[in-house]
Amino acid sequence: SFTMNMYLFVYDLMQFCGHSWIFTNMIIRFMTFGKDSLADTFYSIGLVMRLCQLLSVVEILHILIGIDKSRLLPRFLQITERIIVLFVVINSQEEVQGKYVVCVLFFLWNFLDVVRYTYNMLARMGIYYLPLTWLNFSLCIPLYPLSVLAEGFAICVSLPYFESFGTYSIKLPFPLTFSIYFPYVLKMYLLVLFTGMCFIIQNLFSERMAHLGVGNIKNKRS
């Protein structure tokens, strides 16, 4: 319906503005301060980054109620992995926030999202530019695995700090004598992360074929 399309357009516009601000801010800071800007990336844009990622959780609701026709599981996995890495790993360990991998990760995330939300906004209005469509469904195929590798590297970098500070590790009192050592949880999550990556990449290829197949390109040109 028109109301739902307008709502989704406004949502995509909000996300586009947030990610565009982050992406532009990172580029300007790097051109101005060089490598010195990489260490304080999280401190300069972390708040807006967290707001954008929290807002993205609404996309799962969009799929559940049927106003977004995307597949639920791939989108759920992509949103969940970002939430875990950003809020559980990076936000909880100040020592990790100054690592260069955070800058690389934010760059990849926002580059992909600026393209995706631009495409989504125009699609809500029935506008399809073939170069943008190609970019949206092709760029993610090489960049998404790179972002997952950066996420995995950020987790590995954080492990010594979780071990030394005991963050999120829980030891239950007697008589339960049960403890949760959080670094082990993160190591197991790495397996889940890379397994999910393989599934999502398959979904990205299928989406690319669905939108960039010969028949679909002819229909959008006409």
Side-chain angles (χ1 to χ4, degrees), residues 47-184:
L47 177 60
V48 181
M49 191 73 207
R50 281 172 283 181
L51 290 175
C52 288
Q53 295 307 319
L54 282 176
L55 185 60
S56 69
V57 176
V58 179
E59 296 179 25
I60 299 175
L61 180 61
H62 293 168
I63 299 174
L64 288 174
I65 64 178
I67 63 175
D68 187 340
K69 302 305 179 182
S70 302
R71 295 180 63 189
L72 175 61
L73 184 56
R75 194 74 198 112
F76 174 79
L77 291 175
Q78 287 177 297
I79 292 173
T80 302
E81 70 187 37
R82 289 191 182 189
I83 293 294
I84 291 175
V85 172
L86 180 59
F87 287 92
V88 177
V89 176
I90 299 176
N91 190 63
S92 66
Q93 298 297 335
E94 188 173 352
E95 291 76 8
V96 178
Q97 296 169 10
K99 303 294 184 181
Y100 288 170
V101 66
V102 175
C103 181
V104 173
L105 188 57
F106 283 9
F107 181 85
L108 292 171
W109 282 355
N110 286 281
F111 191 18
L112 288 169
D113 284 340
V114 166
V115 174
R116 184 166 70 90
Y117 288 114
T118 302
Y119 171 83
N120 286 348
M121 282 192 300
L122 295 177
R124 307 295 180 198
M125 299 185 291
I127 300 173
Y128 297 92
Y129 290 113
L130 185 57
L132 180 61
T133 303
W134 183 91
L135 193 64
N136 181 61
F137 292 102
S138 301
L139 190 68
C140 56
I141 292 175
L143 292 190
Y144 172 71
L146 289 178
S147 69
V148 173
L149 288 175
E151 291 168 10
F153 186 74
I155 292 174
C156 292
V157 168
S158 71
L159 287 176
Y161 302 107
F162 279 104
E163 292 172 354
S164 59
F165 298 138
T167 310
Y168 301 135
S169 294
I170 301 173
K171 186 174 184 179
L172 298 178
F174 183 83
L176 297 178
T177 62
F178 179 78
S179 61
I180 299 176
Y181 188 54
F182 196 70
Y184 290 162

